[in-house]
Amino acid sequence: MANYEAVFHPDGYNSPEYRSLNYSYQNKMAELFSHRRIDYPAKELQFEIETVKISSTMTQRQYLKLQSLVESFPETQRSGAAPVIGKDDYQSIILYHDYRLFDSTQYVVRSPVGFGYTVSKLITITSEPAGGPHHQVKVTLAINPNRFVDVPEEPLLRLVIEEVLPLMVTPQISEMDLTLDMPLIMNNFHVQMGGQAGTKQQITQRLNDHQEYELSRIAYVDPQQTRKLIVADKFQSLLDNQLLVADTDYISAREAEYYRDQVGERQFLTRIELAATTPNAVMRYMKNHEWLMRDISIEYRDNSGISRFAGTDYATNGKDFRRSFNRMLTYRLKEVQRRARKLPYLTDAIWRNTLK
């Protein structure tokens, strides 16, 4: 099994371990890419686990061990806002905000439509004062499962499992974001999150920088701030954000570039994101998958029968999911629970702490 020391040695590209991991990852990304094609059957789309956050509250003395582990990463394998030294009772420690730690070796991927790109493996650390009489520190570790093959043989995951998690005190899952990308037109979605008074709704519609297309985003947060629902025009915002920063580090950036250059191939992508944002909410979702969709109504209506753009008949023409769309989404949430339990860094102890 690959030792986690490999995280710091970028010469792993020729090793058989790297090749087999890269081969698995290539297959995973090719599959993900095909889900976003216009002709992919809607019935087979599934939720992906976009982000898992693991949190723990620890004393400053315990935190110093984690801090020294973060500081042991070479400068070239760290990025993010500059770490700051704590104030008042926290002067002896360094605090991080969305601080990214990279593996020195990247996956090299070729997409089914032809372009190649590399994906960095990274984890994100955030630490903040937790207060209390003992001046504790709250640490949050964020992992994007789609950046990995999600097997313990990956050096960075091995580092997480063997070094980072043992330093965290009673870690629990503090947030889980699930996303479903559908090759459908955002403007045909009708979204509502009802329930108790106090649900926050935010609708954003604006033209992009070049005044070519409209970016739409609907976001809801429940009054207790335990659940989030976001429906957004993912494809146009990809073009807007990622072509500006030229981040070629993930499937979506290169995809947007590809479709911008292939004008004949119009593409739609609407992202539905559901998030459980507290440990208690994660517990409720894991015990009953329907809880995440409670009081939520998502309909897709396109009865116009007009094909919007050539080549997209399949995705938009005469589709009327009115009766089954909510049910279809709710049903898909059940299968994600099974995949979440298989993630190697979500250990039995973490599940026990979260579901207790």
Side-chain angles (χ1 to χ4, degrees):
M1 240 181 223
N3 190 347
Y4 67 78
E5 287 296 328
V7 167
F8 307 109
H9 302 300
D11 52 0
Y13 288 102
N14 294 320
S15 67
E17 293 86 3
Y18 172 77
R19 285 196 182 135
S20 83
L21 285 171
N22 197 70
Y23 177 74
S24 307
Y25 192 71
Q26 168 71 62
N27 290 341
K28 173 176 176 169
M29 292 314 262
E31 175 64 22
L32 263 187
F33 193 91
S34 69
H35 288 188
R36 305 161 78 132
R37 306 289 293 164
I38 284 291
D39 55 359
Y40 196 81
K43 291 269 192 305
E44 289 177 34
L45 290 169
Q46 59 182 23
F47 276 98
E48 296 296 330
I49 304 171
E50 185 71 13
T51 313
V52 173
K53 291 186 181 174
I54 302 167
S55 293
S56 157
T57 306
M58 51 177 78
T59 64
Q60 292 190 31
R61 178 175 294 202
Q62 291 163 332
Y63 174 71
L64 283 170
K65 293 180 185 169
L66 183 65
Q67 178 184 305
S68 63
L69 176 69
V70 173
E71 293 298 319
S72 70
F73 268 70
E75 287 291 331
T76 52
Q77 287 176 235
R78 303 189 242 165
S79 85
V84 296
I85 293 172
K87 293 179 181 160
D88 302 333
D89 296 310
Y90 291 89
Q91 287 177 6
S92 58
I93 59 170
I94 298 174
L95 298 171
Y96 305 99
H97 181 70
D98 284 346
Y99 201 57
R100 306 204 282 183
L101 304 177
F102 291 85
D103 192 323
S104 58
T105 312
Q106 297 177 311
Y107 290 125
V108 183
V109 180
R110 188 164 187 80
S111 96
V113 280
F115 54 76
Y117 58 103
T118 57
V119 177
S120 296
K121 293 172 275 185
L122 60 93
I123 57 175
T124 306
I125 299 261
T126 298
S127 53
E128 57 197 348
H134 303 299
H135 312 299
Q136 291 180 308
V137 186
K138 183 185 178 190
V139 176
T140 303
L141 169 70
I143 301 176
N144 299 100
N146 275 345
R147 280 198 188 270
F148 298 90
V149 184
D150 294 317
V151 293
E153 288 78 19
E154 289 172 275
L156 190 57
L157 293 188
R158 181 143 295 284
L159 178 97
V160 167
I161 294 164
E162 292 182 6
E163 294 289 311
V164 180
L165 292 179
L167 295 176
M168 297 175 86
V169 183
T170 56
Q172 53 183 185
I173 303 164
S174 58
E175 185 171 329
M176 203 182 275
D177 293 359
L178 312 178
T179 55
L180 177 66
D181 290 342
M182 310 197 84
L184 295 168
I185 295 179
M186 163 76 192
N187 291 345
N188 292 336
F189 278 88
H190 298 256
V191 184
Q192 191 66 47
M193 182 169 173
Q196 304 142 286
T199 299
K200 291 195 184 78
Q201 177 192 39
Q202 184 189 32
I203 297 178
T204 316
Q205 285 192 313
R206 61 183 179 84
L207 281 173
N208 79 319
D209 295 344
H210 304 296
Q211 313 289 300
E212 299 160 329
Y213 43 76
E214 197 174 62
L215 294 169
S216 306
R217 186 175 183 274
I218 303 173
Y220 289 95
V221 180
D222 75 342
Q224 291 78 32
Q225 305 208 329
T226 55
R227 288 188 304 153
K228 262 194 317 207
L229 163 71
I230 297 169
V231 179
D233 184 340
K234 175 72 176 161
F235 183 70
Q236 303 296 17
S237 55
L238 278 182
L239 276 169
D240 213 36
N241 300 334
Q242 303 203 273
L243 294 178
L244 290 178
V245 296
D247 167 18
T248 57
D249 196 11
Y250 210 27
I251 183 172
S252 42
R254 296 305 306 276
E255 183 185 15
E257 223 168 320
Y258 170 81
Y259 283 111
R260 182 196 55 173
D261 299 337
Q262 311 291 120
V263 184
E265 297 207 29
R266 273 311 287 267
Q267 171 73 323
F268 307 106
L269 207 56
T270 297
R271 166 162 287 191
I272 297 172
E273 182 174 338
L274 286 162
T277 53
T278 64
N280 197 29
V282 173
M283 177 187 76
R284 293 191 70 173
Y285 162 61
M286 290 304 291
K287 291 190 170 175
N288 175 16
H289 68 284
E290 294 178 5
W291 177 76
L292 258 188
M293 283 290 287
R294 183 174 295 171
D295 303 321
I296 289 176
S297 155
I298 302 178
E299 295 183 355
Y300 183 83
R301 300 180 193 165
D302 182 14
N303 298 336
S304 60
I306 301 165
S307 165
R308 303 302 163 98
F309 299 101
T312 65
D313 306 1
Y314 192 95
T316 55
N317 190 22
K319 271 281 193 314
D320 184 5
F321 292 110
R322 195 170 307 181
R323 272 182 32 248
S324 59
F325 208 79
N326 255 30
R327 201 166 59 229
M328 180 171 84
L329 295 180
T330 309
Y331 173 71
R332 275 159 181 58
L333 288 171
K334 188 167 178 60
E335 201 262 335
V336 185
Q337 294 174 332
R338 191 175 55 77
R339 273 182 283 143
R341 289 206 177 258
K342 284 187 175 169
L343 293 175
Y345 36 86
L346 296 183
T347 59
D348 291 346
I350 290 178
W351 282 116
R352 272 198 304 278
N353 296 336
T354 308
L355 302 180
K356 68 174 183 280

